[in-house]
Amino acid sequence: VIGTQMVGPSIIAHGTVRQKTTFLPRILTGDDIWCQGFSEPNAGSDLASLETRANRVEGGWLLKGQKLWTSRAHTASEMIVLARTNAEAPKHRGITAFLVNMASPGLTVRTVRQINFNDEFNEVFMDDLFVPNDRVLGAVDDGWNVAVNTLNSERIATTRAFEARRLVADLAHADEGIDSQVLEDLTMRAYAAGLTLQRYAAEAERSDIGSKASVTKLNSSELTVEVARAGALGDPSLSAGLPLKEGRPLSWGGLYLNNLKNTIAAGTSQVQRNVIAQRILGMPREGAVR
Amino acid sequence: MTIDSDDLREFASTVRDLASTVADGDPFLSGASDVPTLSPRSCREAAVKLGVTALLVDEPSAGLGGTAADAGLLVGPWTSTLLTSDLSETLAVQFLLRRVESDAATDLLQQTMAGAATVRLPLLSNGGSLRAPGDGERMHGDALVDVSGATDDAIVLVMPATRDAGSRLFVGEFSMAAMAAPRDPVDPSRDLRLCDSSKVDVRPIAPLSDEDLDAVDRFRLTLTAFECIAGAQRVLEQAVRYSHERTQFGRPIGTFQALQHLLVDVHLKVEDALSLATRSAALIGDVAPASAEGRYAANVACLSAAEAYRSAAESCIQVHGGIGFTREITAHLHLRRAVGTIRLLKNHRRLSTTPPPSLVEGWRRTT
């Protein structure tokens, strides 16, 4: 998903001809698995305050810093990395995007254990990792625009409207003794969420829908938590509890824990609400002075 | 035929301008009057000519041949300015259109389109508590009717009613003077009257099928949903505007995330309701029994739109703080319209939110 729906579109939008011919076919064939080196210990929702540095050297750049919550870094072959290339520029302006090979010397991956015992999260350490010039994506110091493109693609990719519908259908099918009014309410919302996604997708074919992807991302990610929670709380069998070790069969409890990441990853629900308030409703930004 | 969307947008904008002009000039709606009575609406005649009724009538019958989705665009401007659209007339005409093989139905349709008769469908479910009379009997029960904007001395009520033998379409002429305002109206911006059906002569003009009843009812729910959505969008805009103007702690209150997130949650409800209404409008042409999704979409569209409208109006009052609790702003009128609509829906009958099993089962296969 990161390759086909996030990095791919960014390479199409910002890459050189050579980057497109090198990377795009391998994304489509699945030869390259991509991960996303954006978040850092001190740069989560406030991504632009990232601290990983890239210093110019002969023929390329040396990267030094740490990335966090890098999903599937332990199995990926390539990583898109944001690093600061100009410490003097305003924080959104001095960032550059790099396409990093995971086998590069100076790169270490450490897995972080997740609450659902299904470990995909990693820390990635870069210690004078060399990246050649032809692996800079977009213009130097223009990485924020690349990131915005990737993040907008990510919000569409992480719209979980149809996943929510499938969960609701599974819940109805499982007949776990869920209160029928609760189930009907969740069904109605999943039905609407899917229709909203289809409505925006049709609109996106005609014009730029800007931040509207945030609406379906927010809405559907919260819905996947609520549906799985209803399943976990409604299922009286002991095996439906919250998993405490790896390899348990998929249960409503396991899904519930798993889905909690949906409202954090790709912009937390709170950040999405800020984005919608300011960019769609047109409410004033913080710092606005009258 | 679907009306070309640019033409329709221009048409909708004309209706919006007209509605705004009337609303600005109305002392009650502009907040200049404390008296909860309605002033005459000179725009009414123009509204009927420009509005949804004509849009949805086919061209040979002097209409414009639009679709339900087209109509959704047109009913909005009226509610957003707190006027009443010609919905109950539109619905009466829809019944007549479905029964044009009846001479009486055709006559009444032609008179309506020529402006020679004012027709209305009662607000409650396909006639609500109306009981079809047997031979030699009178009709029973009260019909709740929206007469907003009616200028004639009498209106013709088009009433579907059911008895053992099946459903029929009845018509009866009611004098405006004989109709009583219902007690304790929630929404003074809508002129509702009670018509005692036993007091007038009503006559059957055509038999009705379950399909007719279902189709017109889905129409009613879908267009009501579009009305609510437009009202919700209007109060949401008012709240956002005020959040820029009002300053506390040295900054516009709209910069506070607590307010931003409150209004975003309203926006999510409105957007989902709009998706449901749009879907329901697209399914209007589907007839029973294949229309299980259409019936479901109409029910949930209307319920969630009315709920989104209520939530938007409440939040608008909340964002305005003290002034929101006064009649200086129109948010309370929108709240009244929203609550009035919810109450009418509840009286209508319980709208089922049980999804058709085939719809949900289909979702299991989505990847």
Side-chain angles (χ1 to χ4, degrees):
Chain A
V1 170
I2 292 175
T4 54
Q5 295 187 29
M6 291 154 55
V7 180
S10 297
I11 292 178
I12 290 168
H14 298 280
T16 61
V17 173
R18 180 134 179 254
Q19 285 169 344
K20 289 178 192 172
T21 51
T22 308
F23 294 112
L24 295 178
R26 294 178 59 81
I27 287 175
L28 291 174
T29 56
D31 286 329
D32 282 343
I33 301 296
W34 284 78
C35 62
Q36 175 186 297
F38 281 14
S39 293
E40 296 183 3
N42 291 320
S45 293
D46 181 14
L47 183 59
S49 60
L50 55 88
E51 293 162 355
T52 293
R53 294 293 310 271
N55 292 317
R56 206 185 272 276
V57 292
E58 177 75 33
W61 301 79
L62 278 185
L63 271 59
K64 195 173 182 62
Q66 180 190 353
K67 295 293 174 180
L68 196 57
W69 320 138
T70 315
S71 293
R72 299 199 185 81
H74 58 306
T75 54
S77 53
E78 302 285 344
M79 171 167 64
I80 179 169
V81 173
L82 292 181
R84 189 160 302 284
T85 37
N86 184 348
E88 310 303 319
K91 71 178 185 178
H92 291 86
R93 302 256 172 82
I95 295 170
T96 302
F98 296 91
L99 305 171
V100 172
N101 186 279
M102 295 296 283
S104 310
L107 188 147
T108 319
V109 174
R110 191 178 80 84
T111 298
V112 185
R113 292 181 296 170
Q114 297 178 183
I115 60 171
N116 63 343
F117 290 81
N118 179 13
D119 299 334
E120 297 173 343
F121 266 5
N122 296 277
E123 286 177 288
V124 178
F125 301 92
M126 290 162 286
D127 191 12
D128 287 340
L129 168 91
F130 177 73
V131 182
N133 280 328
D134 62 5
R135 279 179 165 260
V136 171
L137 179 60
V140 170
D141 290 349
D142 193 36
W144 187 252
N145 281 327
V146 178
V148 166
N149 187 296
T150 309
L151 290 172
N152 276 338
S153 302
E154 184 177 22
R155 276 163 200 162
I156 295 166
T158 51
T159 285
R160 296 176 184 277
F162 291 107
E163 185 182 328
R165 280 187 175 183
R166 190 165 40 74
L167 284 177
V168 160
D170 286 345
L171 195 59
H173 188 81
D175 193 20
E176 304 277 24
I178 314 291
D179 179 87
S180 65
Q181 196 52 53
V182 170
L183 189 57
E184 284 184 7
D185 181 55
L186 292 170
T187 306
M188 179 168 85
R189 289 168 55 200
Y191 180 51
L195 292 172
T196 300
L197 174 59
Q198 287 168 327
R199 190 159 63 84
Y200 289 174
E203 210 176 303
E205 306 229 315
R206 299 190 303 269
S207 57
D208 180 12
I209 61 164
S211 305
K212 281 190 175 176
S214 284
V215 171
T216 55
K217 193 277 179 188
L218 168 61
N219 207 355
S220 60
S221 60
E222 295 194 338
L223 195 49
T224 59
V225 175
E226 288 184 56
V227 179
R229 187 200 298 129
L233 294 176
D235 185 351
S237 65
L238 273 179
S239 65
L242 309 185
L244 273 172
K245 61 181 181 214
E246 219 171 337
R248 288 279 293 275
L250 210 53
S251 64
W252 285 110
L255 274 173
Y256 169 42
L257 287 182
N258 181 67
N259 289 356
L260 290 175
K261 77 168 187 290
N262 297 349
T263 56
I264 299 170
T268 64
S269 288
Q270 288 65 39
V271 165
Q272 306 294 357
R273 284 186 168 84
N274 293 353
V275 167
I276 295 165
Q278 292 160 16
R279 298 196 204 147
I280 296 179
L281 297 182
M283 294 181 77
R285 300 176 73 94
E286 198 172 354
V289 182
R290 290 187 78 236
Chain B
M1 160 194 141
T2 306
I3 293 188
D4 173 73
S5 60
D6 283 342
D7 286 350
L8 184 64
R9 265 189 282 278
E10 201 184 316
F11 191 17
S13 133
T14 307
V15 175
R16 192 175 304 117
D17 292 346
L18 181 66
S20 302
T21 310
V22 173
D24 287 346
D26 187 307
F28 177 61
L29 295 180
S30 64
S33 164
D34 274 350
V35 187
T37 52
L38 289 158
S39 48
R41 308 269 159 70
S42 58
C43 74
R44 186 65 213 171
E45 204 177 323
V48 171
K49 281 187 186 141
L50 278 172
V52 189
T53 309
L55 178 72
L56 291 169
V57 173
D58 56 12
E59 287 163 288
S61 311
L64 296 162
T67 65
D70 296 334
L73 257 178
L74 284 197
V75 292
W78 295 106
T79 309
S80 67
T81 45
L82 284 163
L83 295 172
T84 312
S85 72
D86 48 354
L87 182 55
S88 67
E89 177 182 70
T90 300
L91 294 165
V93 165
Q94 287 300 308
F95 268 121
L96 299 177
L97 275 172
R98 297 182 75 88
R99 286 291 155 241
V100 285
E101 77 280 0
S102 145
D103 289 343
T106 307
D107 284 350
L108 187 52
L109 180 61
Q110 281 169 352
Q111 285 178 42
T112 304
M113 297 311 290
T118 302
V119 295
R120 289 287 188 277
L121 189 78
L123 284 168
L124 300 182
S125 168
N126 295 330
S129 57
L130 296 178
R131 256 183 71 73
D135 287 339
E137 293 174 4
R138 297 193 79 81
M139 189 178 242
H140 274 292
D142 285 339
L144 186 62
V145 184
D146 187 342
V147 298
S148 305
T151 48
D152 292 350
D153 293 337
I155 57 169
V156 178
L157 273 194
V158 172
M159 298 168 286
T162 306
R163 223 184 148 77
D164 312 336
S167 304
R168 282 180 176 282
L169 195 59
F170 292 83
V171 294
E173 194 171 285
F174 289 72
S175 96
M176 289 286 277
M179 289 185 276
R183 274 177 299 163
D184 188 23
V186 175
D187 171 14
S189 69
R190 182 150 53 181
D191 192 358
L192 299 184
R193 304 288 180 89
L194 279 172
C195 308
D196 182 348
S197 67
S198 67
K199 296 238 171 90
V200 291
D201 292 326
V202 300
R203 58 196 171 95
I205 58 166
L208 288 175
S209 67
D210 288 348
E211 230 167 60
D212 294 328
L213 293 168
D214 180 67
V216 178
D217 194 48
R218 279 161 55 199
F219 226 105
R220 174 210 303 271
L221 293 171
T222 306
L223 292 191
T224 303
F226 278 115
E227 288 189 338
C228 290
I229 290 160
Q233 287 169 334
R234 168 60 72 100
V235 278
L236 191 53
E237 282 163 19
Q238 278 178 3
V240 169
R241 199 161 51 238
Y242 187 71
S243 84
H244 281 271
E245 293 164 2
R246 172 70 174 165
T247 304
Q248 284 289 274
F249 304 101
R251 51 200 262 211
I253 57 171
T255 59
F256 292 105
Q257 291 184 333
L259 264 64
Q260 294 189 353
H261 294 192
L262 175 75
L263 296 184
V264 166
D265 287 342
V266 171
H267 177 69
L268 296 185
K269 287 184 191 172
V270 176
E271 285 295 286
D272 271 357
L274 179 57
S275 304
L276 291 168
T278 305
R279 178 68 176 161
S280 178
L283 294 172
I284 288 278
D286 286 5
V287 289
S291 66
E293 187 190 346
R295 161 53 57 188
Y296 175 65
N299 285 359
V300 295
C302 197
L303 287 169
S304 48
E307 175 56 26
Y309 192 11
R310 180 207 53 77
S311 163
E314 264 184 28
S315 301
C316 183
I317 290 173
Q318 181 70 21
V319 167
H320 277 80
I323 192 112
F325 193 65
T326 70
R327 291 197 298 265
E328 306 276 316
I329 64 160
T330 54
H332 78 107
L333 292 174
H334 282 284
L335 182 65
R336 289 168 180 281
R337 177 65 69 89
V339 170
T341 304
I342 292 169
R343 281 174 31 139
L344 286 172
L345 286 172
K346 296 229 156 141
N347 290 335
H348 188 72
R349 74 189 129 72
R350 184 182 172 269
L351 288 178
S352 168
T353 53
T354 307
S358 58
L359 178 73
V360 178
E361 196 56 31
W363 297 346
R364 298 192 75 204
R365 291 185 291 276
T366 31
T367 49

